Amino acid sequence: QVQLVESGGGIVQPGGSLRLSCAASGRTFSNYAVGWFRQAQGEEREFVATLWRSGTTYYRASVKVRFTISRDNLKNMVYLQMNNLTPNETATYYCEAGTGGSKYRNYDYWGRGTQVTVSS
């Protein structure tokens, strides 16, 4: 079992930055790939970024040059650095653990999410 707790969300102006954190518990956390998804109100959950155990990353095209996913297995932490945010990226952001990739069905564990609001 893996438990995930996201933090770091908040209100930021367009063009601003936020760093999301995800604290994981469970001895086997390092065995999983991790990912970030987001869900805007009234919309479906969508893929943002994934990080496989090999260190390979994959991003949604619209965030590729602005977001960075990383992890610290010693601290059981996952991070998402988000730069140059836009209003349409307002959403609840979820940390997930599983086999990785862009498909939601590839993930077995997820947290309750952290709200990111991009507004002037």
Side-chain angles (χ1 to χ4, degrees), residues 34-37 46-51 57-60 63 67-69 80 94 101-102 107:
V34 293
W36 287 93
F37 285 69
E46 64 180 22
F47 166 76
V48 176
T50 190
L51 172 61
T57 58
Y58 177 66
Y59 296 90
R60 180 180 193 83
V63 311
F67 289 15
T68 302
I69 185 172
L80 184 68
Y94 298 89
S102 61
Y107 295 87

Side-chain angles (χ1 to χ4, degrees), residues 26 30 52 60 84 90 94 96 116:
S30 60
W52 282 281
R60 180 180 193 83
N84 196 18
T90 293
Y94 298 89
E96 314 213 355
V116 173

Side-chain angles (χ1 to χ4, degrees), residues 4 8 11 13-14 16 22 27 30 32 46 48 57 60 67-69 76 101-103 108 118-119:
L4 303 169
I11 301 173
Q13 292 187 342
C22 173
R27 292 183 300 170
S30 60
Y32 293 92
E46 64 180 22
V48 176
T57 58
R60 180 180 193 83
F67 289 15
T68 302
I69 185 172
N76 275 5
S102 61
K103 303 299 183 184
D108 302 307
V118 186
S119 175

Side-chain angles (χ1 to χ4, degrees), residues 1-105:
Q1 283 284 351
V2 175
Q3 288 79 44
L4 303 169
V5 179
E6 303 93 337
S7 62
I11 301 173
V12 62
Q13 292 187 342
S17 298
L18 279 176
R19 187 194 194 203
L20 304 183
S21 298
C22 173
S25 61
R27 292 183 300 170
T28 61
F29 172 68
S30 60
N31 291 340
Y32 293 92
V34 293
W36 287 93
F37 285 69
R38 64 190 179 192
Q39 187 168 17
Q41 193 169 7
E43 302 291 332
E44 292 186 355
R45 191 171 298 198
E46 64 180 22
F47 166 76
V48 176
T50 190
L51 172 61
W52 282 281
R53 291 186 296 159
S54 65
T56 300
T57 58
Y58 177 66
Y59 296 90
R60 180 180 193 83
S62 63
V63 311
K64 187 175 182 179
V65 297
R66 299 181 294 118
F67 289 15
T68 302
I69 185 172
S70 62
R71 71 189 296 172
D72 184 336
N73 285 335
L74 293 178
K75 296 181 179 179
N76 275 5
M77 295 292 295
V78 183
Y79 305 100
L80 184 68
Q81 176 67 44
M82 306 186 295
N83 299 325
N84 196 18
L85 285 159
T86 63
N88 64 359
E89 293 177 311
T90 293
T92 300
Y93 284 69
Y94 298 89
C95 174
E96 314 213 355
T99 57
S102 61
K103 303 299 183 184
Y104 183 62
R105 63 175 180 266

